[in-house]
Amino acid sequence: MREPSSEATPTEPSAEQVATQLASVVNRLLRRLRTTSADSLLTPTQRSVLARLDGEGPATTAALARAEYVRPQSMRLTLGVLESQGLVERAPDPADGRKSVMSITEVGRTTLGAVRAAKHNWLAEAIAAELDGAERRTVAEATALLDRLVGK
């Protein structure tokens, strides 16, 4: 493994330069992906909560608030909207009947799947339209490096 270096050579950008450029591009990509599914009528927080419930299973309002770095009152509002749309449902907490846990519904999974598909389709279409085969290979190689950088 190479020793990390922050110094630049005439042909090699510094780690700080790459970090700045990468953060900027990733932020723009994330903004673009968020706006791709604007017709879903879900806010980014609502999408994030649905994805968390889908991936991690049922959770209390307090646990979701901690995980999403919001106040419990804000999470209650978010969950209220999702519940009124039939995307999540409430059930008694099996460990403590005084509490309730929220779960994603099949309608919620379908909605989340549609949001994910819209994002994936936009990205695949953009890659196909803007990049030739060699550029796609370069992006695939860069993706593998980024995966290694962030870990699994």
Side-chain angles (χ1 to χ4, degrees):
M1 182 155 267
R2 286 180 36 179
E3 183 80 21
S5 171
S6 61
E7 294 185 24
T9 64
T11 59
E12 185 177 303
S14 72
E16 288 81 9
Q17 290 169 325
V18 173
T20 299
Q21 291 170 341
L22 180 59
S24 175
V25 169
V26 167
N27 283 331
R28 288 195 329 262
L29 176 61
L30 290 173
R31 273 195 304 276
R32 187 69 186 265
L33 287 170
R34 276 193 297 266
T35 62
T36 300
S37 57
D39 61 338
S40 73
L41 303 176
L42 293 176
T43 67
T45 300
Q46 291 167 345
R47 285 191 297 258
S48 181
V49 169
L50 281 181
R52 186 172 301 281
L53 290 172
D54 186 47
E56 299 174 10
T60 64
T61 301
L64 288 167
R66 280 191 303 276
E68 295 291 324
Y69 301 103
V70 299
R71 293 177 184 211
Q73 298 87 339
S74 297
M75 184 55 64
R76 275 194 288 282
L77 292 173
T78 297
L79 290 169
V81 171
L82 293 172
E83 191 173 20
S84 72
Q85 294 175 350
L87 304 177
V88 299
E89 61 190 2
R90 182 181 314 269
D93 185 337
D96 183 349
R98 298 170 296 172
K99 297 179 183 178
S100 58
V101 293
M102 303 303 290
S103 302
I104 189 168
T105 64
E106 283 307 312
V107 173
R109 277 193 185 84
T110 300
T111 301
L112 184 60
V115 168
R116 288 174 172 162
K119 291 176 183 189
H120 179 268
N121 291 340
W122 171 82
L123 188 54
E125 288 172 10
I127 289 169
E130 297 294 326
L131 305 178
D132 64 26
E135 290 169 322
R136 285 193 301 271
R137 280 190 296 280
T138 300
V139 170
E141 290 168 2
T143 300
L145 292 173
L146 290 170
D147 188 47
R148 187 177 89 201
L149 182 67
V150 299
K152 293 185 181 190

